[in-house]
């Protein structure tokens, strides 16, 4: 499917959606009028591959029947808003507003790389867990 005007992002979204569906995870993508042409291809990949892999990982480990990932991309005024929500069971260990990876010492680099890209575009990343849901919000002002 053509979700955005960004071919790399479309490939990533289609790939992750296909993988999720194969594993009985509902994958919903809502895209408003959004343009990622201000970002380099590697930056688009850094943000979306990392965040979607983390979401898929968390959903697959969860012991809930209702497994889902919702990706919301939109633009408000001059702000780019990325919201990724996934079902989740258990609790994260948090440090400095970020969940701590339990994948070993070289993991957790993904989020650091995401933050670098987000900060480059005067952005903020906020993560939260509420009622068996993990929410990642990114706001950028390119």
């Amino acid at each position: 499917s053509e979700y955005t005007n960004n071919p790399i992002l479309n490939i990533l979204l289609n790939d992750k959606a296909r993988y999720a569906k194969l594993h009985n995870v509902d994958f919903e993508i809502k895209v408003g009028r959004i343009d990622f042409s201000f970002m380099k291809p590697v930056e688009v990949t850094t943000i979306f591959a990392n965040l979607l892999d983390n979401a898929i990982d968390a959903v697959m480990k969860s012991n809930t029947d209702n497994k889902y990932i919702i990706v919301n991309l939109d633009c408000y005024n001059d702000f780019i808003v990325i919201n990724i929500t996934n079902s989740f069971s258990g609790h994260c260990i948090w440090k400095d507003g970020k969940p701590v990876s339990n994948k070993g010492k070289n993991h957790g680099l993904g989020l650091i790389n995401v933050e670098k890209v987000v900060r480059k575009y005067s952005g903020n990343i906020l993560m939260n867990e509420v009622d068996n849901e993990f929410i990642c919000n990114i706001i950028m002002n390119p």
Side-chain angles (χ1 to χ4, degrees), residues 1-18 21 27-36 52 71 73:
S1 300
E2 294 288 311
Y3 296 106
T4 71
N5 66 348
N6 187 298
I8 288 171
L9 182 51
N10 289 335
I11 289 167
L12 268 169
L13 289 170
N14 281 304
D15 183 52
K16 303 301 178 190
R18 194 168 29 252
K21 287 186 174 89
F27 198 99
E28 192 180 328
I29 301 170
K30 302 175 192 167
V31 180
R33 293 184 44 150
I34 196 160
D35 181 359
F36 284 104
L52 292 172
V71 178
L73 308 175

Side-chain angles (χ1 to χ4, degrees), residues 36 38-39 47 78-82 111-127 136-142:
F36 284 104
F38 66 93
M39 292 174 87
I47 288 183
D78 294 330
F79 293 93
I80 300 279
V81 179
I82 299 167
L111 274 185
I112 291 165
N113 291 331
V114 169
E115 283 187 314
K116 280 183 190 159
V117 175
V118 170
R119 275 202 299 270
K120 176 181 172 184
Y121 298 106
S122 312
N124 266 313
I125 180 166
L126 286 169
M127 296 178 196
C136 177
N137 268 311
I138 293 176
I139 298 170
M140 288 186 286
N141 189 6

